[in-house]
């Protein structure tokens, strides 16, 4: 039965060149298969056949005469790939008389180097197929003689002897139990790769602007000041550095953070960022999950706009909430409020820029889900809601008494799971629709309002918000916002 499919191999040589590789040649050589058994359309490819009308079976003589007038090289023509994939080139070589040394050209040198490399590649393939020990020993001796002859004429190419000497020295030291006296030189540190290199778009532009810029955590640690982004301070600056309890990616949790979970304290940004890192590692398809300090502080522009379905936990003064764009619409899930504060409006405007219309307006649904009891567990509700949204599950009715213990176990196991639910009737869910703007510091959409555009950051600002009278707008040929002016001064 005739084969109707082309041969195939998984090696890199076949995938790159689509030419018979060493594995295919080994099958043709060691089995009953032959070249004529392959697919006819593949076998009769012009690459594997010779035109008999052009190439005659007579012997071609190369025009390289020696001084005596006789031809030096005589190469008989053969039909390749007819009998076997491997074939030898028979050459009748006559000795060349020694004459004055002529400096070889670069092209001629490269040509002969290519010939040598092709023969070496063929030799490597043949060595892999050879099973006779005596033949392999004979090949090794011949190759070793050639290598010794070349290295003797080129003193700079003695890497092999040095390598063998180091191997023998290390073996002798290992046998005696001694350590080498020479110290290895340390490699130079590789510079940090720029995160925005080779990338285009708004997100890459923001990454390039903020590359090698100190974050708020580094600034506060260097100035010995405490930034309070929750209702309670993150650390007690008067005490010594607390012991490390758990490290989750780049987030370090101390035993003080553990004590907060055990004593019904307010969750700080360490707890929230650690939980978001666990969510991000388990659900890598979810975008955002950025550091809460970077997106909540207006003085550092490190918010990276999302470009796909995202989940993000926000800090809004004294409260934690979660936002998402899963489903194609921006929604905010809150355990207390149905309104958006100024800080949260700015965070949402910077984060969900791709969901704005031509006028920069973003429609948002604020959903008040299960109402929390007390005022300290808003961070737990935000983490529980974010976990459900990232996993594609609907937001449930949580058992508030077991949420702290569950989060503690998730951090210790470095694996976050759905929070425990309650069988009590679900509290009333309230939904409020609002709209924000991705422009200005107020992030409020005001139709038909007078606005100015910053020449540097290209953001738009209401004339009223930047305290410029409408009658004086004509006097501003160029305008720079306060953030760009502060950046120029620094």
């Amino acid at each position: 039965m005739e084969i109707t499919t082309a041969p195939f191999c998984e090696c890199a040589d076949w995938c790159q060149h689509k030419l018979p590789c060493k594995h295919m040649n080994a099958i043709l050589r060691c089995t009953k298969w032959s070249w004529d058994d392959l697919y006819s359309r593949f076998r009769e490819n012009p690459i594997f056949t010779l035109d008999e009308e052009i190439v005659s079976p007579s012997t071609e003589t190369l025009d390289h005469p020696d001084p005596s007038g006789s031809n030096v090289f005589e190469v008989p023509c053969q039909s390749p790939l007819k009998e076997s994939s491997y074939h030898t080139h028979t050459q009748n070589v006559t000795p060349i008389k020694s004459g004055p040394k002529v400096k070889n050209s670069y092209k001629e040198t490269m040509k002969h180097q290519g010939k040598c490399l092709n023969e070496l590649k063929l030799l490597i393939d043949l060595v892999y197929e050879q099973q006779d020990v005596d033949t392999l020993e004979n090949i090794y001796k011949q190759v070793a003689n050639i290598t010794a002859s070349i290295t003797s004429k080129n003193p700079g190419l003695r890497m092999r002897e040095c390598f063998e000497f180091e191997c023998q020295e290390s073996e002798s030291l290992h046998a005696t139990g001694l350590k080498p006296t020479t110290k290895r030189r340390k490699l130079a540190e590789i510079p940090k790769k720029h995160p925005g290199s080779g990338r285009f778009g708004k997100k890459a532009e923001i990454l390039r602007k903020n590359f090698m810029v100190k974050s708020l955590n580094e600034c506060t640690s260097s100035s010995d000041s405490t930034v309070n982004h929750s209702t309670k301070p993150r650390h007690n600056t008067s005490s010594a550095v607390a012991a490390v309890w758990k490290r989750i990616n780049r987030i370090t949790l101390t035993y003080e953070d553990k004590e907060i979970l055990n004593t019904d304290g307010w969750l700080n940004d360490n707890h929230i960022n650690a939980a978001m890192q666990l969510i991000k590692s388990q659900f890598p398809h979810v975008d955002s999950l950025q550091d809460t300090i970077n997106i909540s502080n207006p003085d550092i522009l490190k918010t990276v706009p999302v470009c796909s379905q995202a989940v993000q936990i926000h800090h809004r003064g004294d409260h934690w909430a979660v936002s998402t764009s899963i489903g194609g619409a921006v929604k905010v899930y809150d355990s207390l409020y149905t309104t958006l504060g100024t800080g949260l409006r700015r965070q949402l405007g910077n984060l969900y820029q791709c969901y704005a219309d031509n006028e920069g307006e973003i429609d948002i649904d604020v959903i008040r889900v299960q109402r929390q009891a007390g005022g300290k567990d808003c961070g737990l509700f935000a983490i529980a809601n974010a976990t459900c949204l990232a996993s594609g599950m609907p937001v449930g009715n949580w058992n508030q008494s077991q949420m702290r213990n569950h989060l503690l176990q998730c951090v210790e196991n470095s694996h976050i799971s759905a929070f425990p639910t309650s069988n009590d009737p679900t509290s009333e869910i309230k939904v409020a629709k609002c709209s924000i703007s991705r422009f200005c510091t107020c992030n409020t959409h005001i139709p038909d309002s007078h606005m100015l555009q910053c020449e540097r950051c290209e953001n738009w600002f209401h004339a009223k918000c930047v305290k410029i009278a409408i009658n004086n707008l004509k006097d501003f040929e160029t305008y720079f916002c306060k953030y760009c002016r502060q950046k120029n001064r620094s």
Side-chain angles (χ1 to χ4, degrees), residues 160-227:
R160 179 182 175 185
E161 297 179 3
C162 297
F163 177 74
E164 290 180 352
F165 175 77
E166 290 180 359
C167 293
Q168 293 175 1
E169 183 181 9
S170 61
E171 290 178 359
S172 61
L173 291 174
H174 180 72
T176 56
L178 300 176
K179 295 183 179 180
T181 57
T182 58
K183 296 182 179 180
R184 295 185 178 273
R185 185 177 60 181
K186 294 183 179 181
L187 298 177
E189 294 184 359
I190 301 176
K192 186 177 179 180
K193 183 179 178 182
H194 200 297
S197 60
R199 302 175 64 182
F200 303 93
K202 189 69 175 179
K203 183 175 181 180
E205 181 181 354
I206 295 176
L207 289 174
R208 284 192 291 270
K209 287 182 179 179
N210 297 286
F211 179 62
M212 299 297 290
V213 177
K214 286 187 177 181
S215 64
L216 189 61
N217 291 331
E218 298 172 350
C219 296
T220 53
S221 61
S222 61
S223 60
D224 296 333
S225 61
T226 302
V227 178

Side-chain angles (χ1 to χ4, degrees), residues 426-440:
T426 306
S427 58
E428 181 183 1
I429 298 177
K430 295 183 178 181
V431 180
K433 294 185 177 295
C434 62
S435 62
I436 64 173
S437 175
R438 61 178 292 255
F439 300 124
C440 195

Side-chain angles (χ1 to χ4, degrees), residues 81 90 104 221 225 232 364:
L81 300 176
T90 59
N104 297 327
S221 61
S225 61
K232 293 296 181 180
I364 298 179

Side-chain angles (χ1 to χ4, degrees), residues 15-261:
C15 295
Q16 182 177 2
H17 304 290
K18 297 297 185 294
L19 295 176
C21 59
K22 59 184 179 183
H23 310 96
M24 190 181 302
N25 293 327
I27 294 175
L28 295 176
R29 186 172 183 176
C30 302
T31 62
K32 296 181 180 180
W33 287 77
S34 65
W35 178 259
D36 296 331
D37 295 333
L38 299 179
Y39 185 34
S40 59
R41 295 184 61 181
F42 175 80
R43 187 177 66 249
E44 296 172 359
N45 192 292
I47 299 177
F48 307 134
T49 58
L50 294 177
D51 195 341
E52 300 295 341
E53 296 180 358
I54 297 177
V55 182
S56 60
S58 60
T59 303
E60 293 181 352
T61 305
L62 301 179
D63 298 332
H64 295 286
D66 63 356
S68 63
S70 60
N71 293 331
V72 179
F73 296 101
E74 294 181 358
V75 183
C77 295
Q78 305 179 27
S79 278
L81 300 176
K82 291 295 183 180
E83 298 178 359
S84 175
S85 298
Y86 293 105
H87 49 275
T88 57
H89 301 280
T90 59
Q91 296 182 352
N92 298 325
V93 182
T94 58
I96 300 176
K97 295 182 179 180
S98 61
K101 293 184 179 180
V102 180
K103 187 176 181 180
N104 297 327
S105 63
Y106 176 75
K107 292 184 178 180
E108 186 177 358
T109 302
M110 293 294 294
K111 179 180 178 181
H112 286 79
Q113 287 179 352
K115 291 181 179 180
C116 294
L117 292 176
N118 290 335
E119 293 299 328
L120 288 175
K121 182 179 179 181
L122 178 61
L123 178 61
I124 292 174
D125 295 338
L126 292 174
V127 167
Y128 276 111
E129 293 183 0
Q130 188 59 245
Q131 302 294 331
D132 188 11
V133 178
D134 296 335
T135 304
L136 293 173
E137 183 68 23
N138 188 20
I139 294 174
Y140 170 75
K141 291 180 180 179
Q142 295 183 18
V143 173
N145 292 334
I146 296 174
T147 305
S149 176
I150 296 175
T151 53
S152 62
K153 297 179 181 179
N154 299 274
L157 302 177
R158 297 184 179 274
M159 298 299 297
R160 179 182 175 185
E161 297 179 3
C162 297
F163 177 74
E164 290 180 352
F165 175 77
E166 290 180 359
C167 293
Q168 293 175 1
E169 183 181 9
S170 61
E171 290 178 359
S172 61
L173 291 174
H174 180 72
T176 56
L178 300 176
K179 295 183 179 180
T181 57
T182 58
K183 296 182 179 180
R184 295 185 178 273
R185 185 177 60 181
K186 294 183 179 181
L187 298 177
E189 294 184 359
I190 301 176
K192 186 177 179 180
K193 183 179 178 182
H194 200 297
S197 60
R199 302 175 64 182
F200 303 93
K202 189 69 175 179
K203 183 175 181 180
E205 181 181 354
I206 295 176
L207 289 174
R208 284 192 291 270
K209 287 182 179 179
N210 297 286
F211 179 62
M212 299 297 290
V213 177
K214 286 187 177 181
S215 64
L216 189 61
N217 291 331
E218 298 172 350
C219 296
T220 53
S221 61
S222 61
S223 60
D224 296 333
S225 61
T226 302
V227 178
N228 186 4
H229 279 273
S230 62
T231 53
K232 293 296 181 180
R234 179 193 292 186
H235 296 296
N236 185 5
T237 55
S238 61
S239 60
V241 177
V244 176
W245 167 43
K246 190 72 175 179
R247 283 191 176 93
I248 300 176
N249 292 346
R250 297 182 180 180
I251 308 300
T252 301
L253 296 173
T254 64
Y255 280 96
E256 292 183 2
D257 299 323
K258 184 178 180 180
E259 188 66 19
I260 291 174
L261 292 176

